[in-house]
Amino acid sequence: MAATFRLTLAQLNPVLGAIAANTEKAHAAWLAGKEAGADMVALPEMFLTGYQTQDLVMKPAFVRDAMAAVDALAARCADGPALGIGAPLADATGLYNAWHVLQGGKVVAVMRKHHLPNDTVFDEKRLFRPGDISGPYRIGPLRIGTPICEDAWHDDVAEAQAESGAQILLVPNGSPYSRGRFDTRMNHMVARVVETGLPLVYLNMVGGQDDQVFDGASFALNPGGSMAALLPGFEEALAHLDFEETADGWRALPARLAPMPDAWERDYHAMVLGTRDYLHKSGFSRVLLGLSGGVDSALVAAIAADALGPENVHCIMLPSRFTSATSLADAGAVAQALGCPLDTVPISAPQEAVTGALAPLFTGLPEDVTEENIQSRLRGLLLMAISNKTGAMLLTTGNKSEVAVGYATIYGDMNGGFNPIKDLYKTRVFETCRWRNANHRPWMQGPAGTVIPPQVIDKPPTAELRENQRDDDSLPPYPELDAILDGLVERDASVADLVAEGHARATVKRVEHLLYISEWKRFQSAPGVRLTQKAFWLDRRYPMVNRWRDGG
């Protein structure tokens, strides 16, 4: 009989800082693995504390609690399979991002992360000490090497573990979603398999934490690069993966390959999961938003309905004398299609009161953007009052194009606790609405069918803060604006690069100027779901005061 090994993969969703609750979740996974006859149960990187901890992990009391929980969990899991779990480790040499192997009532092996990422959203060199490369450990018949997340993006850790006798590689991760990230992960892991000739299991975390969404999609590869297992993206999953020793070494036996959705569905699922987890993990179950009849607020309402259920999404229409009958009808159609409650709070009377109060100070001055901003700030004030009174979190609805160039009113339509579409350019907002109308999935709590009427998507965008206003009165058309922003933000292209791509230099310079002078607004903006590797926060850190401009 060939030797066999059963590994239970626990692709689960922790809550940052909820050490006791995460411990219970880990123990439940261990019990499920024990019942299934597993030899080992594995959980992702830093699962016990949640991830990313940021500076919280530098607090000694927090680390002491986590380490005590590891020891207590080991004692509870003495009689059954081994358990691998990520948690911080502090000793006389420093603080480490570690992965602990528990067996027989104690910690039998500890891997310390060797390569600490220090780019995009990661600052681990600031938080942790790099550990020495860990050798393999034995569980039953199998010697396992465990590079932790970033360790597997380099060749040295896996190579050293293979040379030290590892027979498979088990890689626990806390790898957040961004568009195209799965393919990048896969390319790196295939490289490790080719270099070592060993099977590799990539176990990722799932769930939202602040702006980041961990997308799961864990997988197993055999030598040759063939995929033996693929867990679903953006969902918790518990999978029992069997290995068998062959004449050519250990191999993972074929298991379920979950469907891999396209990029539009992955982005949408990330926004839904990120919104749901930000709300629920913060203690909120209901939201409200200003529903204008425009496409951005319609998409945010759909995302919120899919995340929380339509009955928990309170839509508020706040019309002024500039609000068209079409906008009122479109807002009503969106709320009706989604099944969300809708109320109307006119702002004309408050606007007149504010205008009257300011009239002595504004005598002789022409009307300008000030009067437009008063409307937006009145809406923000009223929405925040409703939020305070009802306990529902206010969602803000600015897309990435608007956030980039400051086409939003600070303390007005930027008010809110979370922004589901903060990292979604306007042109992608339109296409995402069309995708949602055409697709429905079991993880969506909103209704199927056309939930955003086509006229909402197709009409010219307008803030309706003055007569006959259109967004392209103040900005380049969105296809052009987004192409320029893609260059300036996503690709760090120069002005000369963008001119060479066919854009007018004056337009590029204008967009560059708006981008740089809006940094202070973004600094005060609500967090939102990260979809790219140049999201506005940890991915892209620019000074608020900056006189430099590209002279190209």
Side-chain angles (χ1 to χ4, degrees):
M1 287 287 291
T4 60
F5 188 91
R6 172 163 284 189
L7 175 64
T8 295
L9 303 179
Q11 176 182 289
L12 300 179
N13 185 349
V15 177
L16 199 142
I19 294 173
N22 296 338
T23 299
E24 290 306 313
K25 205 162 202 176
H27 186 252
W30 178 82
L31 289 174
K34 179 179 180 180
E35 185 176 350
D39 297 284
M40 183 176 184
V41 177
L43 289 131
E45 175 184 17
M46 292 291 280
F47 181 85
L48 196 70
T49 56
Y51 193 62
Q52 294 189 65
T53 59
Q54 300 188 59
D55 285 5
L56 182 60
V57 79
M58 299 172 74
K59 189 174 284 292
F62 177 75
V63 176
R64 285 196 298 270
D65 283 353
M67 293 174 63
V70 169
D71 291 336
L73 185 61
R76 293 177 68 187
C77 299
D79 182 21
L83 176 66
I85 188 167
L89 171 71
D91 61 19
T93 63
L95 176 64
Y96 299 92
N97 178 334
W99 203 71
H100 309 251
V101 180
L102 320 179
Q103 189 177 39
K106 60 184 180 180
V107 178
V108 297
V110 177
M111 272 53 64
R112 295 167 172 83
K113 194 172 184 177
H114 180 64
H115 290 287
L116 301 177
N118 204 54
D119 56 359
T120 65
V121 297
F122 293 102
D123 288 308
E124 292 209 343
K125 287 185 179 179
R126 181 170 178 269
L127 303 175
F128 298 111
R129 180 183 176 91
D132 295 333
I133 295 177
S134 304
Y137 51 93
R138 179 178 286 278
I139 301 295
L142 193 58
R143 292 191 303 277
I144 303 172
T146 294
I148 302 173
C149 199
E150 182 80 8
D151 289 343
W153 290 59
H154 304 265
D155 58 9
D156 55 343
V157 177
E159 180 182 358
Q161 292 175 346
E163 290 176 351
S164 300
Q167 294 166 300
I168 72 166
L169 298 173
L170 169 58
V171 186
N173 294 270
S175 179
Y177 173 77
S178 60
R179 200 174 298 134
R181 195 65 169 173
F182 179 83
D183 293 338
T184 304
R185 294 174 193 148
M186 182 62 70
N187 290 338
H188 282 287
M189 297 310 110
V190 167
R192 302 294 84 80
V193 171
V194 170
E195 292 158 0
T196 63
L198 299 179
L200 181 148
V201 177
Y202 182 98
L203 174 60
N204 197 21
M205 188 178 289
V206 71
Q209 172 56 39
D210 294 346
D211 65 321
Q212 296 164 44
V213 177
F214 299 91
D215 55 318
S218 305
F219 56 85
L221 300 172
N222 274 320
S226 62
M227 189 180 296
L230 175 62
L231 275 60
F234 304 100
E235 298 178 18
E236 289 192 314
L238 200 70
H240 308 295
L241 183 62
D242 290 318
F243 289 83
E244 184 176 84
E245 189 174 23
T246 73
D248 297 320
W250 286 84
R251 297 292 183 267
L253 299 182
R256 177 175 180 258
L257 300 178
M260 177 54 67
D262 64 21
W264 295 100
E265 179 168 344
R266 280 181 270 179
D267 270 10
Y268 192 81
H269 206 163
M271 290 185 285
V272 169
L273 178 58
T275 301
R276 178 188 300 135
D277 274 2
Y278 187 82
L279 269 295
H280 286 171
K281 292 179 180 182
S282 300
F284 290 85
S285 59
R286 295 174 294 119
V287 297
L288 74 148
L289 66 134
L291 193 64
S292 67
V295 69
D296 296 321
S297 62
L299 180 57
V300 170
I303 291 167
D306 284 333
L308 305 171
E311 69 280 4
N312 294 312
V313 181
H314 188 184
C315 298
I316 312 288
M317 184 72 187
L318 300 112
S320 74
R321 66 186 180 90
F322 301 115
T323 303
S324 68
T326 299
S327 293
L328 288 168
D330 287 344
V334 170
Q336 183 177 15
L338 287 169
C340 298
L342 173 66
D343 285 305
T344 300
V345 181
I347 68 165
S348 297
Q351 183 182 355
E352 290 172 4
V354 171
T355 302
L358 293 171
L361 299 176
F362 288 1
T363 300
L365 300 175
E367 287 195 5
D368 55 15
V369 71
T370 304
E371 283 73 21
E372 296 180 22
N373 287 342
I374 286 171
Q375 297 169 63
S376 182
R377 291 188 174 119
L378 282 171
R379 291 184 172 112
L381 171 70
L382 294 169
L383 289 168
M384 281 305 305
I386 298 167
S387 173
N388 291 160
K389 185 64 70 175
T390 64
M393 181 183 287
L394 174 60
L395 298 181
T396 183
T397 62
N399 61 72
K400 190 172 187 176
S401 309
E402 295 172 350
V403 172
V405 297
Y407 194 64
T409 304
I410 193 79
Y411 322 124
D413 57 330
M414 289 178 66
N415 280 7
F418 196 69
N419 183 354
I421 63 170
K422 185 177 182 178
D423 203 23
L424 199 67
Y425 286 115
K426 185 78 168 192
T427 47
R428 295 191 75 96
V429 168
F430 295 131
E431 290 305 314
T432 302
C433 290
R434 295 185 180 103
W435 181 89
R436 175 59 178 87
N437 282 343
N439 296 275
H440 192 265
R441 300 290 184 263
W443 45 265
M444 298 176 182
Q445 297 186 43
T450 300
V451 294
I452 302 172
Q455 69 268 20
V456 174
I457 305 169
D458 297 335
K459 67 182 179 182
T462 172
E464 291 192 321
L465 298 174
R466 63 176 184 266
E467 295 286 358
N468 301 314
Q469 184 181 25
R470 288 171 50 137
D471 288 7
D472 55 15
D473 295 335
S474 305
L475 300 171
Y478 281 113
E480 181 181 12
L481 175 63
D482 287 357
I484 294 171
L485 289 172
D486 176 75
L488 294 174
V489 176
E490 311 298 325
R491 297 186 281 121
D492 285 321
S494 68
V495 169
D497 291 335
L498 291 167
V499 171
E501 292 173 12
H503 300 286
R505 187 178 187 278
T507 305
V508 175
K509 290 295 293 180
R510 180 174 165 229
V511 173
E512 178 203 37
H513 175 69
L514 292 172
L515 177 68
Y516 284 141
I517 67 168
S518 301
E519 202 63 49
W520 69 279
K521 284 188 179 182
R522 288 190 287 275
F523 191 80
Q524 300 180 61
S525 64
V529 178
R530 175 184 186 259
L531 301 173
T532 70
Q533 292 194 55
K534 283 296 180 73
F536 292 129
W537 190 33
L538 296 177
D539 282 302
R540 184 184 179 279
R541 309 177 200 188
Y542 273 66
M544 286 178 282
V545 177
N546 165 29
R547 289 283 185 92
W548 180 84
R549 298 295 184 268
D550 184 353

